[in-house]
Amino acid sequence: MWYFLMAFGIGMGVATQAAINSRLAVGLGGQPLAAAFFSFAIGTLCLGIVMLWQGDWHSVAQNAAGQAWWRWIGGAIGAVFVFATAFLAPKIGLVNMAFLIILGQLIAGMAIDYFGLIQMPVRPLGVHKYIGLGVMLLGLVFFYVWG
């Protein structure tokens, strides 16, 4: 149950972060790239402090060089995400942005699970997941037709 609550809290944090970063962008002269940069810099600093305290640097040093190139691009994807949320939140609204992000996450997650992409374990998709995705798509129609 803790993991589900944690995931829910992260989702709430994403919307909050987008609002905060979009306001930071306005405060920095309408510069969402600058807001994303400072958001990432502060996040990197926070993670660095925790890593210094909790990390196993010997293990990291031993294993870092042997990683495939694509395993290093998660930070770039995260940077694009942070920039995009700071940029999109004032343009399309937090609810629309969050809804589309969640929909994209569900579709990508289903494909990754079903095909075992990115070296993830293959997980079968029951009909309930397709129905859930259909409900989300129907919700998208309601958002844009009557929203």
Side-chain angles (χ1 to χ4, degrees):
M1 183 56 118
W2 166 249
Y3 296 127
F4 291 100
L5 290 173
M6 185 178 174
F8 179 75
I10 290 167
M12 292 181 71
V14 168
T16 304
Q17 178 192 37
I20 289 169
N21 286 343
S22 72
R23 296 299 88 202
L24 178 60
V26 169
L28 296 174
Q31 299 294 314
L33 274 175
F37 172 80
F38 286 112
S39 178
F40 244 71
I42 293 166
T44 299
L45 180 64
C46 292
L47 286 172
I49 290 168
V50 174
M51 182 66 181
L52 285 172
W53 176 48
Q54 291 286 317
D56 178 0
W57 286 98
H58 177 71
S59 177
V60 170
Q62 241 179 350
N63 296 302
Q67 299 303 308
W69 68 269
W70 57 266
R71 290 185 178 182
W72 297 102
I73 64 172
I77 294 169
V80 169
F81 174 79
V82 169
F83 163 73
T85 60
F87 177 78
L88 291 172
K91 300 213 180 306
I92 66 173
L94 286 170
V95 173
N96 290 331
M97 182 199 70
F99 187 86
L100 292 166
I101 287 171
I102 292 166
L103 189 60
Q105 288 174 323
L106 286 171
I107 291 169
M110 287 176 71
I112 291 167
D113 277 353
Y114 184 77
F115 294 109
L117 302 174
I118 317 172
Q119 298 178 336
M120 294 298 290
V122 173
R123 297 181 191 279
L125 300 177
V127 70
H128 63 285
K129 290 191 179 179
Y130 291 106
I131 292 170
L133 185 60
V135 169
M136 290 290 291
L137 290 170
L138 186 60
L140 182 63
V141 170
F142 280 113
F143 258 66
Y144 289 102
V145 172
W146 292 289

